[in-house]
Amino acid sequence: MIVYTDKQLELLELLTQNGPVDPVLAAQMLNLTEDEVLSSLETFKQDGVLLGYTAVIDWQKIHAHHGVTAFIDVKVTPKRGRGFDEVAERIHRFPEVTSLYLMSGAYDLQVVLDGKSLQEVSQFVSEKLSTLDSVISTTTHFRLKTYKHDGVLFSQDDEDKRLKVSP
C-alpha cells in the first residue's frame, strides 16, 4: 500500500473534485510550491494512482445523443488459482465495456457499458458475454435517469419542494 503525505492526499482530493488543475493555483490552495505539486502529480502517475481525468456530462441534455447505459450483473464460475481475475480480464477487453467491478452479493461481477440501442446491448450480452465459458447467468438493468454521478447533482433545481411544517 502506498503512503502519501497529508498535502499529497489533499492534492488528490482536489483532483477528484475538480479534475486537472493549474499547478500554480493548486500550490496556492494547498500552501505548496509549484515544484512540489508537479512532483506529486508525476509520483501519482508513476505509482499508478492517477489514472486519468474524466468530465461529468449530462448527456440527456444533448439532443443529438441517443444511447443507453446498461448495468449487467454476471454470475461466474471462478477459475482455480485465478479466481475471478481471468474472466474479468476477458470481459474488460471488450471495447463496449466502460467499467467492470467485482461485487459482493448474488452476482460476482458488474459490467457497465454504453450502447447505441437496446438491440446493441442485447447482442453484446447474448453473443459475447453469455458465450464465455465461466459465465453462468446475467441480469441486465438500464439507466433511466441520472440524479447524481461522482458527487455531481444533475438536477440544479435548488428549491426545496417539501411541504413546510410549522409547530
Side-chain angles (χ1 to χ4, degrees):
M1 187 165 285
I2 301 170
V3 179
Y4 292 125
T5 67
D6 288 344
K7 288 294 184 180
Q8 287 176 313
L9 294 175
E10 287 180 49
L11 177 57
L12 287 171
E13 272 299 318
L14 184 65
L15 295 171
T16 300
Q17 295 169 6
N18 301 305
V21 293
D22 176 38
V24 174
L25 181 60
Q28 291 171 349
M29 293 173 71
L30 300 172
N31 197 25
L32 296 169
T33 67
E34 182 180 353
D35 287 341
E36 288 173 317
V37 170
L38 291 170
S39 174
S40 291
L41 291 172
E42 188 57 37
T43 299
F44 299 155
K45 290 175 188 174
Q46 288 176 359
D47 290 348
V49 171
L50 180 58
L51 302 175
Y53 300 100
T54 59
V56 178
I57 298 169
D58 188 350
W59 287 106
Q60 295 174 82
K61 292 183 178 178
I62 309 297
H63 176 64
H65 180 76
H66 302 289
V68 295
T69 299
F71 302 88
I72 307 164
D73 296 328
V74 184
K75 189 166 204 53
V76 300
T77 302
K79 295 289 185 180
R80 184 176 300 270
R82 298 262 308 150
F84 298 102
D85 293 345
E86 185 175 313
V87 68
E89 287 170 9
R90 292 188 66 195
I91 293 171
H92 80 66
R93 288 188 191 126
F94 291 119
E96 301 91 336
V97 174
T98 59
S99 300
L100 177 62
Y101 307 100
L102 178 63
M103 306 295 290
S104 64
Y107 289 88
D108 305 307
L109 298 172
Q110 184 176 63
V111 178
V112 182
L113 66 94
D114 291 318
K116 293 178 183 156
S117 65
L118 296 175
Q119 171 95 15
E120 185 177 286
V121 172
S122 173
Q123 282 182 300
F124 172 80
V125 173
S126 63
E127 296 173 10
K128 294 182 179 180
L129 189 60
S130 295
T131 61
L132 296 176
D133 292 337
S134 297
V135 173
I136 298 170
S137 65
T138 65
T139 300
T140 304
H141 311 274
F142 293 97
R143 179 178 63 199
L144 301 177
K145 182 177 180 178
T146 302
Y147 295 100
K148 187 175 184 178
H149 180 76
D150 284 344
V152 177
L153 289 175
F154 276 54
S155 173
Q156 297 301 322
D157 185 8
D158 291 337
E159 181 184 339
D160 189 351
K161 294 184 180 178
R162 295 178 291 180
L163 292 174
K164 293 186 179 14
V165 178
S166 57

